[in-house]
Amino acid sequence: IHIVEAIGGILGSGVENVKFVGKSENNGKICETYFADFKGKGGNITITYNIMTDTWQPCVITIMTTKKTFNFTVDTGKIYETLLNKIVNFMSGKDKLAPMNELTESIKIMLAGKLSKKKNGALIKLKDIPENYGGYDGSAFENFYSKIAAKIYN
């Protein structure tokens, strides 16, 4: 979800749909590729993002325009500190959080991608995700993520 949240941090909200494109595997590590269509103040943008499963990868962003290409790696060490500071400031009444639709869009993008993959790459509009689509299991995520994190931080 980190890459999708990073994209939202750059563009803001405005993703309309997501499509699973395909996957590749190397030594048991899987990389999945997705397209998302963004419609915002700057016009229409096609987003391509990759998700590696069962392994940690740095959060790398490449932005390509008709004139130039920008490439950078997100310093993930600073993300959590910034996030926690925002939450503390909100809880103490110093800051406001973003509107709920912006806060939840990254989750909707991930759910649409999961649903698209389940439907063999069908284009899934965020607004068409069924209310009862049980696509996120917090306990399973915590167990999975803690196993990977232990490999990184030990």
Side-chain angles (χ1 to χ4, degrees):
I1 195 161
H2 297 93
I3 191 63
V4 172
E5 290 175 334
I7 292 166
I10 293 169
L11 297 175
S13 62
V15 170
E16 293 190 347
N17 55 61
V18 178
K19 177 181 175 58
F20 172 71
V21 179
K23 70 177 184 175
S24 64
E25 184 175 342
N26 188 351
N27 294 323
K29 307 298 182 193
I30 296 171
C31 179
E32 298 178 343
T33 301
Y34 297 83
F35 288 157
D37 291 319
F38 175 88
K39 302 211 184 315
K41 298 176 217 164
N44 300 340
I45 299 170
T46 299
I47 300 165
T48 304
Y49 64 95
N50 298 300
I51 298 175
M52 296 289 295
T53 59
D54 243 6
T55 189
W56 180 86
Q57 288 290 318
C59 187
V60 177
I61 307 280
T62 301
I63 300 171
M64 299 171 65
T65 71
T66 56
K67 300 185 187 326
K68 197 166 182 176
T69 299
F70 305 89
N71 189 34
F72 58 94
T73 301
V74 177
D75 184 347
T76 55
K78 294 181 181 177
I79 289 175
Y80 294 110
E81 178 183 352
T82 303
L83 174 64
L84 290 173
N85 285 336
K86 281 284 197 188
I87 292 169
V88 167
N89 287 342
F90 169 73
M91 298 299 281
S92 63
K94 295 178 186 173
D95 274 343
K96 292 182 181 178
L97 290 180
M100 191 56 66
N101 65 317
E102 290 181 25
L103 291 174
T104 60
E105 184 170 279
S106 59
I107 296 166
K108 291 177 184 175
I109 292 168
M110 296 299 289
L111 291 175
K114 184 175 181 180
L115 197 53
S116 175
K117 181 179 169 186
K118 184 177 178 181
K119 293 187 174 191
N120 298 313
L123 187 73
I124 304 296
K125 293 181 179 180
L126 270 59
K127 67 178 184 166
D128 293 340
I129 299 170
E131 290 272 338
N132 64 350
Y133 181 58
Y136 179 74
D137 180 341
S139 294
F141 174 79
E142 180 183 8
N143 290 334
F144 169 76
Y145 199 79
S146 65
K147 286 178 189 172
I148 293 174
K151 294 175 190 174
I152 297 169
Y153 298 114
N154 285 342

